[in-house]
């Protein structure tokens, strides 16, 4: 059924109207929320909280125990999206990994341009450590802009002298705001979600006249030395394919343990379509195994108290 599922999904994504007057950020946010929001999985408890000075959503799958935590940063071009729009995706990843998760409502552009999102990601990460989460018990994940932001957050944490988490997973990361990747142009006919103009508009709102090659805006240009094991998942039918490939290559060149998975015929953040697309469910299962496989379960000092940072 997989090919039929992919064809049906592609047709749905391509049916979204394009062209005409570009909507305002507020209109984009409401439209995005209506299009992709799915509730947290059945049996997953949710709770509003604050982390790093920002609103956040905690998700706790049924039967979860132990200290493992997942910090998630949602996608949306740094302009749209929220923990609510991604509650289903985050909840599914948390459920499959058997982890408690927290999804941060970081500040969005254009009201809060670069580096506001990075500052919020770092503040959330810092508070988790400061309140007793051992980095060996902590993993991160993010999609699209949230994927790039996850890497930028870890770079900022490294520069602040904070320890790295156990692992990080990124889905279709937007990692180059200069739009230098060849697939930004070569995959435009294949991508059912974005055009180059769409992505450029998000970059304009987030960075404006700033340096789009700054390592915290475009991690493909960063020195990634010291980052934790990294899993990158991306679809072959998306403009950001080269962002993912180059990010993985940069990580490998900097001696980071990295796994790159390219899904043939799949669109941007195809993991959002769990339960409807076999590849999405399989990818989330692999991501969950990757994250839990790097947690400190069975570590000889697993019972020691977490340090404060």
């Amino acid at each position: 059924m997989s090919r039929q599922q992919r064809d049906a999904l592609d047709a749905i994504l391509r049916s979204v109207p394009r062209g005409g007057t570009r909507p305002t950020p507020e209109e984009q946010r409401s439209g995005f929320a209506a299009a992709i929001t799915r509730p947290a999985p059945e049996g997953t408890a949710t709770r509003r909280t604050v982390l790093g000075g920002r609103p956040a959503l905690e998700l706790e799958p049924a039967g979860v125990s132990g200290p493992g935590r997942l910090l998630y940063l949602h996608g949306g071009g740094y302009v749209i999206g929220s923990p609510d729009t991604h509650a289903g995706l985050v909840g599914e990843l948390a459920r499959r990994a058997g982890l408690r998760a927290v999804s941060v409502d970081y500040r969005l552009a254009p009201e809060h341009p670069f580096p506001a999102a990075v500052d919020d990601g770092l503040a959330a990460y810092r508070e988790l450590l400061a309140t007793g989460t051992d980095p060996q018990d902590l993993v991160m994940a993010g999609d699209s802009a949230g994927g790039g932001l996850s890497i930028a957050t870890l770079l900022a944490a490294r520069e602040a002298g904070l320890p790295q988490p156990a692992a990080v997973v990124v889905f279709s990361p937007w990692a180059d705001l200069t739009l230098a990747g060849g697939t930004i142009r070569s995959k435009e006919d294949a991508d059912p979600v974005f055009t180059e103009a769409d992505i450029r508009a998000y970059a304009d709102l987030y960075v404006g006249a700033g340096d789009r090659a700054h390592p915290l805006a475009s991690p493909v240009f960063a020195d990634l030395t010291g980052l934790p094991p990294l899993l990158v998942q991306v679809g072959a039918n998306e403009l950001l394919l080269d962002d993912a490939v180059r990010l993985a290559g940069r990580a490998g060149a900097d001696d980071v343990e990295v796994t790159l998975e390219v899904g043939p015929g799949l669109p941007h953040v195809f993991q959002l379509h769990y339960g409807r697309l076999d590849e999405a469910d399989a990818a989330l299962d692999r991501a969950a195994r990757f994250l839990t496989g790097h947690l400190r379960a069975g570590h000889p000092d697993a019972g020691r108290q977490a340090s404060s940072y």
Side-chain angles (χ1 to χ4, degrees), residues 11-58:
I12 291 170
L13 294 174
R14 289 184 183 279
S15 69
V16 176
R18 295 190 181 189
T21 303
R22 185 170 295 278
T24 66
E26 292 79 8
E27 291 169 337
Q28 292 183 61
R29 289 165 191 160
S30 61
F32 183 75
I36 79 153
T37 300
R38 298 176 70 179
E42 185 176 353
T44 297
T46 60
R47 184 176 74 87
R48 305 285 177 184
T49 188
V50 176
L51 185 65
R54 292 297 302 163
L57 183 68
E58 288 186 343

Side-chain angles (χ1 to χ4, degrees), residues 97 108-109 126 132 135 173 181 227 269 291 296:
L108 299 176
R126 187 190 296 273
L227 264 62
V269 195
L291 293 174
R296 66 170 182 170

Side-chain angles (χ1 to χ4, degrees), residues 118-134:
V118 182
D119 292 342
D120 291 348
L122 177 60
Y125 183 76
R126 187 190 296 273
E127 183 171 328
L128 285 173
L129 297 180
T131 53
T133 301
D134 192 294

Side-chain angles (χ1 to χ4, degrees), residues 136 296-304:
Q136 294 180 82
R296 66 170 182 170
H299 194 276
D301 61 351
R304 70 178 179 84

